[in-house]
Amino acid sequence: MKQLQRGFTLIELMIVVAIIGILAAVALPAYQDYTVRAKMSEVILAMSACRTSITEVYQTGGTPPAANQWGCETSTATKYVAKVETDGDGAITATIGTGINTDVDGKLVTLIPMQGGAQAKTATDFGKGVTGWSCGSTGTNLNKKYLPGSCRGT
């Protein structure tokens, strides 16, 4: 009598398990980088509040504030941001807190005001406004792959 084949053979099951293992080995590192970038968005958001304040102060002119006197700095730590500081020219530096990833914990991310393609300086550009911002460039000391796409040195 003829027997009907029922179920999968051992070889077929081993092939499926091998394919799933290969896919997992490729996808897991990519997913880990993605989760770090998602958490880094809180750091960028914390700096964005300062960006608005500094842009307004540059536009109105007057007497430039001193370092950490732009009205947006914070030393109160959040889940992923240890502190946000500014310098005398309005460059924003965020110190990353702990809990994101050991490759980025404690590192710095910068957001620099630009005027005409160069870093804005209060001595020469105050009252002219800010024409753009450079995120993740000078002063940033973590691997760019962990920054969101909008903050990779532009």
Side-chain angles (χ1 to χ4, degrees):
M1 291 217 296
K2 205 176 184 184
Q3 283 188 328
L4 294 174
Q5 182 179 2
R6 295 184 186 172
F8 297 104
T9 66
L10 182 60
I11 299 266
E12 290 169 332
L13 290 174
M14 289 175 64
I15 290 171
V16 170
V17 169
I19 290 171
I20 291 172
I22 291 168
L23 290 174
V26 170
L28 192 60
Y31 178 73
Q32 288 173 337
D33 289 351
Y34 171 77
T35 58
V36 170
R37 281 194 304 274
K39 292 174 183 178
M40 286 296 295
S41 64
E42 181 182 322
V43 177
I44 305 305
L45 185 61
M47 292 192 306
S48 291
C50 267
R51 181 176 58 187
T52 304
S53 175
I54 291 168
T55 300
E56 289 176 2
V57 174
Y58 257 97
Q59 184 65 36
T60 57
T63 305
N68 292 317
Q69 298 295 316
W70 291 84
C72 58
E73 301 80 6
T74 179
S75 59
T76 305
T78 64
K79 188 169 183 178
Y80 301 124
V81 181
K83 62 183 173 180
V84 176
E85 300 174 306
T86 56
D87 70 8
D89 289 322
I92 306 162
T93 303
T95 304
I96 301 166
T98 58
I100 295 180
N101 182 307
T102 55
D103 292 340
V104 298
D105 290 349
K107 303 278 180 139
L108 305 175
V109 180
T110 58
L111 188 59
I112 299 171
M114 304 297 283
Q115 172 53 253
Q119 182 176 349
K121 302 288 184 186
T122 54
T124 57
D125 300 319
F126 216 60
K128 294 180 185 177
V130 174
T131 58
W133 288 85
S134 176
C135 184
S137 59
T138 307
T140 300
N141 63 357
L142 71 140
N143 192 326
K144 304 271 192 229
K145 75 177 185 176
Y146 295 122
L147 292 172
S150 61
C151 185
R152 291 191 182 159
T154 57

